[in-house]
Structures are given as structure tokens and as C-alpha cells.
Amino acid sequence: MGLMTIGAFARAARLTPKALRLYDQVGLLVPAAVDPESGYRLYDPAQLPMARLVAQLRRLGMPLATIRVVCDLDPAAAAEAITAYWRQVSADAAARARLATLLVDHLSEGGATMSDPNSAVAVRCAAGCDTGLVRDSNEDTAYAGGRLLAVADGMRGSGGAAASAAAVDALKPLALTDVPAADLLTMVAGAVSDADRAVRGLASDADQPVTTLTALLLSGAQLALVHVGDTRAYLLRDGELSLLTQDHTWVQAQVDQGRLDRGQAATHPQRAVLVRALGGGRQVEADLALRTAQPGDRYLLCSDGLSAVVDRADLRSALAAPADPEDTVRELIELARGEGAPDNIACVVADVVAA
């Protein structure tokens, strides 16, 4: 078969002549020949597989520069590159979907605009960690600052303590920067990616430590909540204690699917098996939420060394008592120790006050 005109080639490749001219201009799909008199582009039928691949990659939304790289790879490497590209697209889409859901929820509650980022609130807070009565080392990290509250629970061998500390340290720069409320979730999501890379960087030939992370970042009256794993965040408001996070554990997934009830999950031997953690799996997926802080609110962030052994009613009673955050942290740790404290205990208590 001889050379094909641009029109015939476009129909065979399911492209448009305009697209073919663009791909020629950027050097992605150069015609086999150009008629010297008419200037018409002519294509070899052997170029059809490449043209069809380009058309399909464009339908995926892949940028031309990336397509050029993919087309220069062998089939196996090209397949890996396309997989990596689509994984990133899916992650970006999921992040935008979560943000859209948050905005819809906020507006559905009657908020025509996001809360004023300059609203005058502050937090009084305290953090505490305890090894417990069974463990001989502490892998938990708790941090309480004027804008950042965080708890992380490291695991898997000797690197657990370093992993939890690295995760919290990755968020600390956010507390030193004026973050517009509208950018809170984007900034936090980026910091979580940094935390994941930091934890992965601690891997050795013998060990890949992982850690959970639950944190709150304050900007004006807005609180960005980030959560991965089975550390938890609670809110005491008007005497009611609410759990703000959902455990990323195997047993919680079974509860969600109706295969276990909550009583079975509480005593299941695999109740501590995580399905999400920083440093584990291919790509971290954190839960993000945006909340409005109100004076009188009291927040608790804690590891499962507290939440798994202390009854929720006792948690509420301790948080509702008229004690400052430092005393409340000590009381919560004592409650866990009174139940045998089989694990490390980390907790942060923060009171929201008018500035």
C-alpha cells in the first residue's frame, strides 16, 4: 500500500487532520513525506499503530509531552508509565472529589461562604505520652502547639518511634506559615505526602516501619483534620462526645461490610491490623475534613493505647470535667493504666477559646 493522504490517515487512525497537524508541529507524529508542490502531508500505513496509541492516550487526557516520552518506550515500560500516570490522575480526582464533598456539606449546612479565616479563636493544649505497663519502648508521638495538634503511632520493629516522629515533624512547617483557610486542605494533603516519603525513607533491608497519623491544623476559625490509620480524633461540644475519624483497620472494614458487629470487632484478634498507614502500600490515602472551631469545644487526639482500653463513657467524663488540658491528659493516661495499659498511650487535649 502506498502513502496515505492526511484525510485518509486521520479516518483510519480516528484522529482529525487538525490533530495530525498539531502532532507534526510538536514532533510527535511526523508525516512520512510532504508533497513539495501542494504541501500536503502523506503518511505511511505503518504509522497507524503509533497514531492510534497517541489518540488513545489523548483520550486519557495525557499531556503531549508525556505522550512523547511514553511513545519512545518499549511496550513493557510504556505500560508501567501509563499505569503510573493513571494512578496519579485517580489520586488527584479522589482528592478533588473529597474537597467537593466537603464544600457541598458545608454549603448544605447553610454556609453561603467559608468561615472568616481571621475569626478570633485560639487553643490551649497539652500533650502526653506513656510507655504503658506492658511495652518496654514507646513508638507513639504526641505534639501540641498553638496551631498544630498531632498524634502518631509507629509500628513494625525498631523503626516505629522514628516513623511516628518523622510523620509529625513533616507537618510542623505548616504551623510556622500563615496558611489561608481556603488553602488548608491542599497544604495539609501536600504535607501528608511529605510525611509518607519521610517514613518510607526510614526503610532498611530488614524493616519498613509504618505509622498512623491524626492531626488538626488551625487557621483562623478553620480546622483541617487529617487522618490515616487507627489513631483517633474526638470532639466534646455541648456535653456530647463525637468521634470524628474512622479507623482504617481490617475489622472496621468488616463492620462496614456487615460481616462483623461492633462487639465482635472490639475483641477480634486482628483488630489492630491496619489497611492504611504512612509508609505502607503504594500510595498514601488520607482522610481530610474541614471543621469550624467554636469557643468551648474540646478536642482529643489519641492513639489506640487509650481508645482501645478506656470505655467511651469514661473518656467523655474525663473530658467533661472542669480541668485544664494538662490535668486532663494526665487523667486520661491514668485511666488507660488502670485498664492494664497493654500498649503505648499518646493523647493531646485542646480547648478552643476566644482569642
Side-chain angles (χ1 to χ4, degrees):
M1 182 184 295
L3 298 181
M4 304 172 67
T5 65
I6 189 171
F9 189 81
R11 289 190 294 273
R14 296 184 180 179
L15 288 165
T16 65
K18 180 179 179 180
L20 287 173
R21 287 191 288 270
L22 171 62
Y23 301 158
D24 179 16
Q25 291 170 6
V26 300
L28 180 59
L29 192 61
V30 178
V34 177
D35 188 290
E37 295 183 4
S38 66
Y40 286 170
R41 294 169 172 85
L42 302 171
Y43 293 83
D44 192 314
Q47 292 179 282
L48 280 172
M50 177 66 73
R52 289 167 179 156
L53 174 60
V54 171
Q56 291 163 345
L57 294 176
R58 287 298 288 164
R59 291 189 185 100
L60 287 179
M62 185 177 285
L64 291 176
T66 306
I67 291 176
R68 184 183 297 112
V69 173
V70 171
C71 290
D72 287 338
L73 300 173
D74 62 66
E80 291 181 3
I82 294 169
T83 299
Y85 168 78
W86 192 248
R87 186 182 300 124
Q88 185 60 53
V89 169
S90 299
D92 291 344
R96 289 195 296 271
R98 287 194 293 270
L99 179 56
T101 299
L102 292 169
L103 292 172
V104 168
D105 289 345
H106 173 79
L107 294 172
S108 297
E109 291 172 357
T113 60
M114 301 301 285
S115 296
D116 180 2
N118 298 313
S119 297
V121 298
V123 293
R124 295 173 182 163
C125 53
C129 275
D130 191 90
T131 303
L133 300 176
V134 175
R135 301 291 180 89
D136 57 6
S137 62
N138 176 46
E139 281 76 47
D140 287 1
T141 297
Y143 177 82
R147 295 179 60 186
L148 177 67
L149 314 169
V151 165
D153 181 354
M155 58 203 71
R156 290 191 191 169
S158 58
S164 65
V168 174
D169 285 345
L171 296 188
K172 287 181 180 178
L174 295 181
L176 303 176
T177 306
D178 288 330
V179 183
D183 296 335
L184 264 181
L185 291 181
T186 301
M187 297 287 287
V188 170
V192 171
S193 296
D194 293 341
D196 188 50
R197 284 190 292 271
V199 174
R200 291 176 189 276
L202 299 173
S204 65
D205 292 339
D207 186 37
Q208 170 58 73
V210 301
T211 184
T212 67
L213 176 66
T214 302
L216 288 166
L217 178 67
L218 178 68
S219 178
Q222 294 294 312
L223 279 170
L225 169 64
V226 58
H227 169 66
V228 182
D230 63 353
T231 37
R232 290 184 172 184
Y234 293 89
L235 168 64
L236 181 72
R237 176 178 286 175
D238 298 328
E240 296 293 328
L241 184 64
S242 304
L243 177 60
L244 304 181
T245 54
Q246 178 166 297
D247 294 345
H248 298 145
T249 57
W250 181 84
V251 294
Q252 182 60 51
Q254 301 307 298
V255 171
D256 294 341
Q257 296 168 17
R259 296 176 180 175
L260 292 175
D261 61 34
R262 295 196 178 277
Q264 293 171 318
T267 58
H268 198 283
Q270 293 181 294
R271 61 186 177 276
V273 175
L274 297 173
V275 296
R276 286 198 231 169
L278 296 178
R282 289 190 174 184
Q283 185 173 7
V284 65
E285 182 181 353
D287 290 345
L288 300 173
L290 196 62
R291 305 191 60 83
T292 300
Q294 297 181 10
D297 288 348
R298 170 167 277 193
Y299 286 89
L300 166 66
L301 275 59
C302 66
S303 64
D304 63 340
L306 177 67
S307 60
V309 299
V310 177
D311 183 82
R312 184 159 170 169
D314 291 333
L315 287 180
R316 182 201 165 281
S317 295
L319 291 168
D324 61 27
E326 291 84 357
D327 289 340
T328 303
V329 165
R330 286 192 287 268
E331 173 63 17
L332 291 169
I333 290 174
E334 286 305 312
L335 285 174
R337 292 176 67 88
E339 296 294 332
D343 198 353
N344 302 150
I345 310 154
C347 55
V348 171
V349 173
D351 292 337
V352 179
V353 298

